[in-house]
Amino acid sequence: MSNSARKYLIAGNWKMNLNSAEGAELAKDVVSIVGPQTDVSVCVCPTFTTLEAVSQVVNDSNVSLGAQNMHFESAGAYTGEISAEMLRHLFCKFVILGHSERREYFGESDAIVNQKTLVALAANLKPIVCIGETLEEREAGKVNEVIKTQLEGALVGVTAADADALVVAYEPVWAIGTGKTATPEMAEEVHAEIRSLLASLLGAEAANKVRILYGGSMKPENADDLLAQPNIDGGLIGGAALKATSFAALVQSAQKRSK
Ligand code: 13P
């Protein structure tokens, strides 16, 4: 295995696509193509309304279920929101938090992402905490500053004991859905920086356990080179996760490196 003791995680973020019937179909294909292997952790993250149908399909398989968001309160007058406990009830194992689309369109701040992260961990959900710079920030030479602010902001109160559950996703905003991928070297530079920030926050041993995923136009053609980087422990996949064949190819890329 190239990345020390960390098992690769390939997670599909289906975003606002696929109703429950369509999602169940895709999940069936994913289970049948990638299901038998256990070298790589595999997770699909449908919309809330598709979670239950997909949960039934992936039940008893090696494909885990994740949600794309959750609220930080456990219950109450929060119209339109979903709690961590509700996700656990449907057997979700992961939850994506602080995706750049939530930050941009729904005003999620680092403080909100932090509250959600702590609640997810307390509920035994593995948070996939998303961070990443915009093109403007990259061109202004602010990548490390943005990453530091977002990571430290999201992880206030998170401890070394949470390292096994914690997942960080580096998603440069300019690479999401644009077909522009960070080069493996560019991505690795930021992933190494994230690992070093994690070491300052949680200690080196804990930092080595945290999986850091790359996200942003990751596809079968570029996955091998990205996954070969020492601090890239998997991918958070948008477009390429909507087809079982391309998603399976990404899992196979990670599987090749796991042996
Ligand atoms: P794309 O793979 O479509 O660029 O999306 C990446 C992403 O935002 C995953 O969360």
Side-chain angles (χ1 to χ4, degrees):
M1 180 179 273
S2 68
N3 294 11
S4 65
R6 297 181 299 273
K7 190 171 180 172
Y8 283 108
L9 169 61
I10 301 292
N13 175 7
W14 293 358
K15 306 194 180 182
M16 197 173 74
N17 296 294
L18 308 182
N19 63 29
S20 54
E22 293 161 343
E25 277 308 303
L26 176 58
K28 272 184 209 154
D29 291 344
V30 169
V31 168
S32 73
I33 305 180
V34 310
Q37 66 78 41
T38 53
D39 301 327
V40 176
S41 306
V42 178
C43 161
V44 292
C45 304
T47 58
F48 288 136
T49 52
T50 297
L51 279 173
E52 185 160 18
V54 172
S55 180
Q56 285 172 17
V57 173
V58 301
N59 178 30
D60 277 338
S61 80
N62 294 320
V63 177
S64 301
L65 187 64
Q68 299 174 16
N69 179 33
M70 54 165 242
H71 193 58
F72 49 79
E73 292 293 348
S74 55
Y78 300 97
T79 302
E81 293 293 333
I82 306 282
S83 73
E85 189 279 328
M86 292 166 186
L87 299 181
R88 291 291 297 152
H89 187 71
L90 293 177
F91 306 104
C92 282
K93 191 168 167 188
F94 293 92
V95 60
I96 298 170
L97 297 177
H99 192 281
S100 61
E101 289 149 15
R102 298 221 48 92
R103 293 175 188 263
E104 183 180 352
Y105 306 127
F106 304 99
E108 283 198 13
S109 63
D110 291 330
I112 292 173
V113 179
N114 179 228
Q115 272 181 288
K116 292 184 174 187
T117 302
L118 295 175
V119 170
L121 287 166
N124 269 330
L125 281 165
K126 294 179 193 290
I128 302 176
V129 176
C130 301
I131 58 176
E133 81 288 356
T134 61
L135 185 58
E136 204 180 13
E137 289 163 340
R138 176 162 281 270
E139 285 174 347
K142 290 188 175 159
V143 177
N144 287 357
E145 194 184 312
V146 170
I147 294 302
K148 186 174 190 314
T149 305
Q150 291 183 343
L151 191 72
E152 290 180 353
L155 299 188
V156 177
V158 173
T159 70
D162 300 313
D164 283 320
L166 180 65
V167 181
V168 175
Y170 169 57
E171 299 206 311
V173 176
W174 48 270
I176 296 176
T178 58
K180 288 185 196 150
T181 324
T183 63
E185 295 71 27
M186 271 159 94
E188 171 59 20
E189 200 180 322
V190 182
H191 281 234
E193 175 65 18
I194 293 170
R195 183 92 52 212
S196 122
L197 290 166
L198 287 169
S200 316
L201 292 171
L202 309 175
E205 197 185 327
N208 270 328
K209 295 183 186 164
V210 177
R211 287 183 286 191
I212 308 175
L213 312 184
Y214 171 79
S217 299
M218 192 165 173
K219 45 188 182 269
E221 299 79 55
N222 57 29
D224 279 348
D225 290 341
L226 286 161
L227 294 173
Q229 302 301 315
N231 286 291
I232 300 186
D233 307 315
L236 183 55
I237 324 295
L242 294 173
K243 279 212 178 95
T245 45
S246 50
F247 190 61
L250 294 169
V251 175
Q252 279 150 14
S253 256
Q255 212 182 345
K256 272 191 299 194
R257 308 202 62 84
S258 301
K259 299 220 162 107

